[in-house]
Amino acid sequence: MASLYSLCLSKQQLFGILLILTFFSSSRTKRCYKSIISFGDSLADTGNWVILLQQNKPTPAFPPFGGTYFNRPTGRCCDGRLIVDFFAQKLGLPLVPPYFRDANCSNCRKFQKGVNFAVVGATALDNAYLARKGIINELTNVSLGVQLGLLKTLLPSLCSSSSACNEFLNNSLILMGEIGGNEFNLAFIQGISSEVIGGLVPEVIKAISAAIEELIELGAMTFVVPGTIPLGCLPVLLTRFRTSNKQAYDRYGCLIWLNDFAHYYNEYLKKELESMRRLHPRINIIYADYYQASMPLYLSPRSFGFKSTLTACCGGEGPYNVNVTLSCGDPGTKSCDDPSSYVNWDGAHFTDEAHRVISNGLLDGSCTIPRFEFPSCAS
């Protein structure tokens, strides 16, 4: 009897283990999401900043922005699509509309399949906190915390009950940026000390992880959390920190110290996300390695059809075609004839073609941790 009881118990245990394994397998199985919810800054903004500045429209509201793919400006800081757009197209969803296009929710139905809260210049930390550190952000005050608050305000218009909202978020892909890069870009340009900048890294990552925790409580299950890009390869920063010291550059012409900082930040973020995965084993928390997905553009540009890696397609003058007092589209600037042969669009942002290459490395899982291959859901 004892041996029979032991056998039955082991079968029960085995059945329980199989159930658990089945759950985790199904929760991480490739599936088609019903919507995309996007937070972030200019790398993800699909038009919010332009809408917010109606009285004094910035350059992304005018040509040559948007000319490659949309044949018109859309408010994106690009000649065409952003990474969030390639995600939407891969998943068979509409391009994610900017929240401020209908902030009063006169037709909330348009947000059922996606909504974008990202704003040019947005930071993970709020402006008041940054100001206490001596960092001034004049572009926007729509920080990550504000963006999260906007989603919470919107949710009751998208779902009729807390359980329905839980299900809505469960079936949504949450793109957490890119967010957090502007704290450091502003700090570098404004001459903030390395001690202060180093101290910002854990604070920025804490703000991102806190936002993820709140979204998990609301029902979200799948997060894509980008790291930062190779900052030392951006024409705007190469112009700002140009030096005659050849040892400051790597073999590809990028500033070593800026890329080293990007590595440091990304490693810190990866460790935080790994800790979160241990706390929430049922949640998909995917690190999107924007840095590694971007590097092939600089390592072997010709294999992707790029002729220029460190020179902006649209800009002013100098070795990187960047004038720090003028923005792409301003009088006195010019745009290249073929943006698809350029990695960089306006000194700070990638071109449509560069975004396509980067997105491929993310969507096939080769530049994500853990590897997470997104399904092709296009009809």
Side-chain angles (χ1 to χ4, degrees), residues 170-185:
N170 186 297
N171 290 312
S172 298
L173 180 67
I174 313 295
L175 298 183
M176 299 299 299
E178 196 260 5
I179 189 76
N182 283 321
E183 279 89 339
F184 306 113
N185 292 335

Side-chain angles (χ1 to χ4, degrees), residues 57 64 82-83 109 146 181 196 208 336 339-340 343 346 351 357 379:
K57 287 187 177 180
L82 309 177
I83 290 172
R109 192 173 299 176
V146 173
V196 171
I208 294 170
C336 65
S340 68
V343 168
D346 61 356
T351 58
V357 174
S379 55

Side-chain angles (χ1 to χ4, degrees), residues 206-257:
K206 187 188 300 182
I208 294 170
S209 61
I212 293 172
E213 290 283 359
E214 284 196 61
L215 288 162
I216 290 172
E217 286 293 318
L218 292 171
M221 285 285 292
T222 305
F223 298 85
V224 174
V225 189
T228 195
I229 59 178
L231 299 175
C233 303
L234 290 179
V236 65
L237 294 179
L238 285 165
T239 299
R240 175 64 179 79
F241 297 107
R242 188 180 176 191
T243 175
S244 59
N245 178 13
K246 294 182 179 180
Q247 301 302 313
Y249 300 91
D250 64 21
R251 60 187 293 191
Y252 308 106
C254 302
L255 280 166
I256 295 171
W257 70 271

Side-chain angles (χ1 to χ4, degrees), residues 37-41 43-44 83-84 87 124 144 174-181 184 204-205 208 212 223-229 262 265-270 273 277 285-294 358 362 367-369 374:
I37 298 173
S38 172
F39 303 96
D41 55 26
L43 297 187
I83 290 172
V84 62
F87 267 78
L144 178 57
I174 313 295
L175 298 183
M176 299 299 299
E178 196 260 5
I179 189 76
F184 306 113
V204 166
I205 291 172
I208 294 170
I212 293 172
F223 298 85
V224 174
V225 189
T228 195
I229 59 178
Y265 172 86
N266 288 340
E267 288 302 314
Y268 206 116
L269 177 60
K270 283 190 280 188
L273 297 182
R277 289 188 202 102
I285 302 176
I286 305 152
Y287 172 70
D289 198 336
Y290 278 23
Y291 191 105
Q292 291 303 323
S294 303
I358 294 167
L362 301 171
C367 292
T368 66
I369 302 174
F374 295 87

Side-chain angles (χ1 to χ4, degrees), residues 102-355:
D102 190 11
N104 295 323
C105 221
S106 59
N107 181 16
C108 287
R109 192 173 299 176
K110 68 163 64 78
F111 295 140
Q112 290 285 351
K113 293 187 176 182
V115 57
N116 194 341
F117 299 98
V119 178
V120 170
T123 51
L125 303 169
D126 64 58
N127 284 1
Y129 179 91
L130 293 175
R132 291 194 293 272
K133 300 291 184 180
I135 302 168
I136 306 304
N137 183 3
E138 297 179 342
L139 290 174
T140 185
N141 61 359
V142 187
S143 65
L144 178 57
V146 173
Q147 293 177 29
L148 182 57
L150 293 172
L151 171 64
K152 291 179 178 179
T153 301
L154 176 65
L155 277 176
S157 300
L158 299 180
C159 33
S160 57
S161 65
S162 59
S163 60
C165 288
N166 185 289
E167 182 180 0
F168 171 74
L169 290 172
N170 186 297
N171 290 312
S172 298
L173 180 67
I174 313 295
L175 298 183
M176 299 299 299
E178 196 260 5
I179 189 76
N182 283 321
E183 279 89 339
F184 306 113
N185 292 335
L186 291 168
F188 290 138
I189 291 171
Q190 293 173 19
I192 303 301
S193 71
S194 58
E195 291 77 14
V196 171
I197 293 173
L200 283 176
V201 171
E203 296 302 317
V204 166
I205 291 172
K206 187 188 300 182
I208 294 170
S209 61
I212 293 172
E213 290 283 359
E214 284 196 61
L215 288 162
I216 290 172
E217 286 293 318
L218 292 171
M221 285 285 292
T222 305
F223 298 85
V224 174
V225 189
T228 195
I229 59 178
L231 299 175
C233 303
L234 290 179
V236 65
L237 294 179
L238 285 165
T239 299
R240 175 64 179 79
F241 297 107
R242 188 180 176 191
T243 175
S244 59
N245 178 13
K246 294 182 179 180
Q247 301 302 313
Y249 300 91
D250 64 21
R251 60 187 293 191
Y252 308 106
C254 302
L255 280 166
I256 295 171
W257 70 271
L258 279 168
N259 279 353
D260 283 347
F261 176 82
H263 272 297
Y264 170 73
Y265 172 86
N266 288 340
E267 288 302 314
Y268 206 116
L269 177 60
K270 283 190 280 188
K271 289 177 182 177
E272 175 67 16
L273 297 182
E274 181 56 38
S275 296
M276 295 191 74
R277 289 188 202 102
R278 289 195 293 268
L279 286 173
H280 304 284
R282 294 169 54 187
I283 305 299
N284 295 313
I285 302 176
I286 305 152
Y287 172 70
D289 198 336
Y290 278 23
Y291 191 105
Q292 291 303 323
S294 303
M295 283 312 296
L297 305 176
Y298 305 101
L299 302 180
S300 55
R302 294 194 179 278
S303 65
F304 298 100
F306 294 110
K307 298 178 181 177
S308 177
T309 57
L310 304 180
T311 303
C313 166
C314 182
E317 56 189 15
Y320 305 107
N321 197 30
V322 171
N323 185 326
V324 294
T325 63
L326 295 175
S327 299
C328 171
D330 282 340
T333 62
K334 57 185 178 181
S335 179
C336 65
D337 293 329
D338 181 14
S340 68
S341 66
Y342 281 68
V343 168
N344 194 276
W345 167 242
D346 61 356
H349 306 97
F350 294 114
T351 58
D352 176 281
E353 183 62 17
H355 281 138

